[in-house]
Amino acid sequence: MESIRCEKVLNLANALTIIRILLLPAIVWRFCRGDMYGALAIYLAAMLTDVADGFAARKLRQITALGKLLDPLADKLSLLTLLGLFSAAGQIPAWILAIVVLKEIILIVGSYAALREGIVVYALPIGKLTTLAFVLSMTARFLGYGFAADILLGAFVLLSLAALVWYSIVLMDKRELEDAAVS
């Protein structure tokens, strides 16, 4: 069982997550000005805050309810911002953005429904692998390595869909366990 410290909402972990969200407009600004290296540098800095906030939350015992809400929100905002930028620039097909948006909506609705039933679904290893594929794909895209970026983006989409299936199976298993306990 994880312990949650709610007495201090603005801690290092949450501050890093907020910084990650606040860096998104800077990424958009640099991207729109055509400064791909500047946008990439800011994006990679934002991704480092993602790693750092997770470390701080676990190792410094700074897990809060706010952090549990903000971290996935920051992840989704980053993901959709980058996909949206590259899709609007014609570098990523709109159907990939549509698939990812649909998958995220399904995950949000499913997570909310599970939470209402008292079921918490935690991050799975496939989620970390999916994030890595995405970061590598976006890095390759920023650097102009189109073919590598396309391959990595394909891997990201496949992993993302596999993660959706995996989370669905985990959620169904948890529901079955709880139903069995009630019976």
Side-chain angles (χ1 to χ4, degrees):
M1 191 82 180
E2 74 182 84
S3 76
I4 299 175
R5 295 181 58 188
C6 293
E7 68 274 5
K8 188 173 181 187
V9 174
L10 189 57
N11 55 35
L12 178 61
N14 290 346
L16 289 167
T17 302
I18 291 167
I19 289 168
R20 182 164 26 124
I21 293 169
L22 293 175
L23 286 173
L24 289 173
I27 295 168
V28 172
W29 178 63
R30 299 308 315 165
F31 186 96
C32 291
R33 292 186 49 94
D35 180 8
M36 292 303 149
Y37 294 121
L40 173 61
I42 298 167
Y43 173 64
L44 292 177
M47 293 302 94
L48 286 175
T49 67
D50 187 20
V51 172
D53 80 52
F55 180 81
R58 286 185 301 281
K59 298 299 180 192
L60 301 177
R61 300 177 55 101
Q62 295 183 347
I63 297 169
T64 65
L66 178 64
K68 287 184 174 189
L69 173 69
L70 282 181
D71 187 62
L73 175 65
D75 292 342
K76 288 170 187 3
L77 288 173
S78 297
L79 175 82
L80 296 176
T81 298
L82 271 284
L83 284 176
L85 285 171
F86 283 114
S87 180
Q91 295 184 38
I92 291 177
W95 62 266
I96 289 181
L97 177 60
I99 287 173
V100 173
V101 167
L102 180 61
K103 176 245 172 194
E104 292 299 332
I105 290 170
I106 291 168
L107 274 180
I108 290 167
V109 170
S111 296
Y112 178 74
L115 199 55
R116 287 187 53 113
E117 293 179 26
I119 300 170
V120 178
V121 180
Y122 294 99
L124 298 171
I126 194 169
K128 301 293 182 194
L129 187 58
T130 303
T131 299
L132 177 62
F134 182 75
V135 171
L136 291 174
S137 172
M138 293 300 104
T139 300
R141 182 87 49 208
F142 275 119
L143 294 174
Y145 300 131
F147 181 72
D150 290 344
I151 297 296
L152 290 164
L153 184 63
F156 159 74
V157 171
L158 291 175
L159 285 167
S160 189
L161 294 175
L164 177 61
V165 170
W166 192 341
Y167 280 105
S168 299
I169 291 168
V170 167
L171 185 57
M172 285 187 279
D173 285 348
K174 285 188 176 212
R175 282 188 176 149
E176 287 176 13
L177 286 173
E178 289 196 1
D179 289 344
V182 172
S183 299

